[in-house]
Amino acid sequence: MIPAATDNLVTLAQISFKRGDRLIFNDINITIPRGKIVGIMGPSGTGKTTLLRLIGAQLKPTAGHIHVNGQNIHQLSTKDLYLARRQMGMLFQSGGLFTGMNTFENVAFPLREHTTLPETMIRDIVLMKLEAVGLRGAVALNPSELSGGMSRRVALARAIVLDPQLIMYDEPFTGLDPIAKGVIVQLIKKLNNALGLTSILVSHDIHETCAIADLLYILADGHIIGSGTPAELLKSEHPSIKQFMQGLPDGMIPFQYPAKDYAKDLLS
Amino acid sequence: MNFLQALGTWALNVCEQLGRASCFLFATLGRRPRFIRTFPLLIQQLYAIGVLSLLIIIVSGLFIGMVVSLQGYNTLEKFSATQQLGQLVALSVTRELGPVITALLFAGRAGSALTAEIALMKATEQLASMEMMGVDPLWRIISPRFWAGVISMPVLAAIFSAVAIYGGYLVGVKWLGLDAGAFWSNMQSTVDFHGDVINGLIKSLIFGFVITWISVYQGYDAVPTAEGIARATTRTVVYGSLAVLSLDFILTAVMLGGW
């Protein structure tokens, strides 16, 4: 079970979210303790990315409320919301690097937009952040010249350039080779500890997420089907949790998307 | 009944789209410019939208002017009125062809590029990542492009008209042998600065406003897939062209009605 944390950076209370007629989340509750790495796991299509967009207030829940750092994020004015977002970093699945700017300009972008720091200081901060992700040598490269893993590391440097309190990772391991995956795993852990961040890690890569997460939530079918430390969940005998953590093809979480009877469908 | 139902659904969809596009426009217009930060962005976009459209505008203007002059000469010759060629070219170009053809070319060249660029930024999560960095995409991406389009269009139309008149001069005077003095003096005495030139520029300003609005809205509202971007780009050219042609009729009617 998740320990009763008194200092939660993010709280999702009774969140429901509908897209069209489809209910993505049905009354879910999640707490993200300050300073921890919290993994949100679940099969593809369960709304993990949607959850991050709800926390970042890019989407609005149908019911319930989300507090980030004590503020109800969906009741802020546009100006206050943009101010609040400066305390959040988000690493998108595709990186989201600006294609018209090189690596340096991409990482410098939030500094140029939100600060009036002199150019020499911006240069120093950018180089420090790029050094932290191991890409100081790629400072002049364009996004088209970076590999998938490098793009994500540059995006990570950009996400931490304003020293946010919260950083959200959207599928950071997808499509990476084992070395790049290992590098990203270490980076997430190192940055969280060194910078005193709170991290939300959305992924379906069990091995990598369990290696660094302090807490895990497993989402399926619009509900939280399990929560706890990675060790607790790996030992769980709950059929759905066991199926997901052990990668069993079929079980409580269906492999098939809901459909009418197979035989009838073929013969119709 | 089905037909009525389909018609009703279509009408509701149109109203919804218009409402969304209007909200988007007001949100864009409501973004306060910050001079030191906005000005360089505006200059960049004026280059991308205006300066890079110059070649197609100049070449098209030259040929349109030459064709109008050639056709006009052949028709006026039947009435022994070839001396009026300068007037014919200048009035056709400043009143109608300049604003309308520039607007159609602008929709095809700059409008489609704007839509594709913004839609691709949406598909590659660049707009979403900007939002999450606390930077408003409407202010940073949309607003400079919108104003650059509105400013560029009248300038491009004026350049188109000037080049087209020169094209008419080349054909009428240099090739067909009309007297240069008659060509220019007839033009000067009949073209009214307010009624013809200024009205033409007002038309092009309105066309620029509408085309750029359609372009940035279609890009921002595009479905973030390859097919969605293709559809949005097509819609920009189709809606933009139809809007220009229909607005041209309305504006001409208003202007000829004594405005």
Side-chain angles (χ1 to χ4, degrees):
Chain A
M1 286 298 293
I2 295 173
T6 50
D7 189 16
N8 295 320
L9 184 66
V10 182
T11 312
L12 286 84
Q14 297 168 313
I15 291 296
S16 296
F17 181 71
K18 259 185 167 183
R19 187 169 275 150
D21 291 332
R22 194 177 158 222
L23 191 63
I24 310 282
F25 299 124
N26 187 10
D27 199 23
I28 63 167
N29 294 288
I30 291 178
T31 51
I32 313 288
R34 204 179 286 272
K36 303 286 184 191
I37 299 177
V38 178
I40 310 280
M41 303 183 77
S44 297
T46 47
K48 301 187 295 295
T49 303
T50 305
L51 191 74
L52 294 187
R53 289 182 182 264
L54 284 167
I55 296 171
Q58 288 185 306
L59 294 172
K60 203 171 178 184
T62 316
H65 50 87
I66 298 173
H67 282 84
V68 179
N69 215 5
Q71 292 177 302
N72 187 334
I73 199 82
H74 292 98
Q75 285 187 347
L76 296 176
S77 65
T78 307
K79 191 183 168 193
D80 289 339
L81 177 62
Y82 278 111
L83 279 174
R85 280 178 179 158
R86 293 184 199 180
Q87 293 300 314
M88 302 179 199
M90 184 155 169
L91 180 67
F92 286 86
Q93 197 170 345
S94 63
L97 294 179
F98 303 129
T99 44
M101 300 178 187
N102 66 13
T103 298
F104 180 90
E105 290 302 326
N106 261 288
V107 181
F109 182 84
L111 292 170
R112 293 199 200 285
E113 291 298 323
H114 296 309
T115 69
T116 51
L117 292 173
E119 195 54 37
T120 49
M121 196 171 282
I122 288 178
R123 184 176 176 277
D124 289 349
I125 295 171
V126 170
L127 291 181
M128 281 161 63
K129 300 297 178 186
L130 282 172
E131 176 72 15
V133 298
L135 286 177
R136 190 167 46 82
V139 71
L141 297 183
N142 287 318
S144 58
E145 297 171 290
L146 302 172
S147 68
M150 288 164 82
S151 290
R152 268 177 233 183
R153 281 151 69 191
V154 172
L156 184 52
R158 189 178 65 179
I160 58 170
V161 79
L162 287 174
D163 294 327
Q165 293 184 36
L166 171 70
I167 183 151
M168 297 183 273
Y169 299 92
D170 185 10
E171 303 280 10
F173 313 120
T174 304
L176 297 184
D177 64 70
I179 300 170
K181 220 182 254 191
V183 169
I184 297 278
V185 168
Q186 288 307 313
L187 264 177
I188 293 173
K189 184 77 180 167
K190 197 172 84 178
L191 289 173
N192 199 75
N193 293 343
L195 303 177
L197 299 169
T198 303
S199 304
I200 304 175
L201 174 59
V202 153
S203 177
H204 47 218
D205 292 271
I206 295 162
H207 178 72
E208 285 76 16
T209 310
C210 286
I212 52 171
D214 298 303
L215 296 169
L216 286 179
Y217 285 90
I218 301 180
L219 273 171
D221 202 22
H223 298 278
I224 305 278
I225 59 165
S227 59
T229 63
E232 285 169 351
L233 291 178
L234 282 167
K235 281 189 284 186
S236 172
E237 286 301 317
H238 186 286
S240 299
I241 299 172
K242 194 174 172 185
Q243 184 199 353
F244 182 77
M245 298 302 279
Q246 295 181 13
L248 304 174
D250 221 343
M252 295 287 281
I253 304 169
F255 165 67
Q256 289 284 351
Y257 192 80
K260 56 187 174 182
D261 185 71
Y262 188 32
K264 276 185 192 165
D265 211 6
L266 287 174
L267 295 170
S268 64
Chain B
M1 198 61 191
N2 279 345
F3 170 74
L4 282 177
Q5 200 173 12
L7 190 69
T9 309
W10 176 81
L12 284 175
N13 282 339
V14 169
C15 288
E16 188 196 337
Q17 280 297 317
L18 277 175
R20 283 158 64 91
S22 302
C23 290
F24 174 81
L25 177 67
F26 288 124
T28 304
L29 295 177
R31 294 300 186 271
R32 267 185 303 170
R34 286 179 278 167
F35 189 77
I36 294 171
R37 285 183 184 271
T38 311
F39 193 66
L41 298 175
L42 184 65
I43 296 292
Q44 271 178 16
Q45 292 310 317
L46 280 172
Y47 176 78
I49 293 170
V51 177
L52 294 183
S53 300
L54 267 179
L55 185 66
I56 189 172
I57 294 295
I58 289 173
V59 172
S60 307
L62 190 67
F63 283 112
I64 294 282
M66 288 162 74
V67 167
V68 169
S69 185
L70 196 54
Q71 291 277 15
Y73 183 87
N74 278 311
T75 308
L76 291 172
E77 199 178 25
K78 291 174 191 164
F79 307 102
S80 304
T82 51
Q83 301 295 313
Q84 304 301 319
L85 185 66
Q87 172 187 350
L88 184 145
V89 171
L91 289 179
S92 324
V93 166
T94 52
R95 281 185 182 179
E96 287 299 329
L97 294 175
V100 173
I101 294 181
T102 306
L104 296 177
L105 292 170
F106 186 76
R109 194 263 162 216
S112 58
L114 273 179
T115 303
E117 185 193 16
I118 295 167
L120 202 60
M121 288 182 88
K122 186 178 179 185
T124 53
E125 296 182 313
Q126 293 180 49
L127 296 182
S129 64
M130 198 173 276
E131 271 186 1
M132 284 308 297
M133 277 182 250
V135 178
D136 182 3
L138 284 183
W139 173 80
R140 182 65 171 69
I141 300 292
I142 304 298
S143 187
R145 283 164 177 74
F146 177 78
W147 288 114
V150 174
I151 295 167
S152 296
M153 193 35 222
V155 179
L156 290 172
I159 293 170
F160 180 99
S161 298
V163 174
I165 289 170
Y166 183 68
Y169 164 80
L170 285 181
V171 168
V173 176
K174 294 290 179 186
W175 183 28
L176 299 172
L178 272 181
D179 178 58
F183 184 88
W184 292 118
S185 64
N186 267 332
M187 189 186 297
Q188 197 178 0
S189 61
T190 50
V191 175
D192 178 55
F193 183 73
H194 179 264
D196 301 319
V197 179
I198 295 294
N199 278 354
L201 287 176
I202 290 171
K203 271 186 183 180
S204 60
L205 185 71
I206 294 170
F207 294 161
F209 184 91
V210 172
I211 291 170
T212 320
W213 174 23
I214 291 171
S215 306
V216 291
Y217 173 70
Q218 289 297 338
Y220 201 75
D221 200 52
V223 178
T225 59
E227 194 194 358
I229 296 171
R231 280 172 182 269
T233 313
T234 309
R235 276 200 300 269
T236 288
V237 178
V238 173
Y239 293 174
S241 305
L242 291 177
V244 164
L245 295 172
S246 52
L247 270 174
D248 184 46
F249 173 74
I250 296 167
L251 289 171
T252 306
V254 170
M255 286 166 180
L256 290 181
W259 177 74

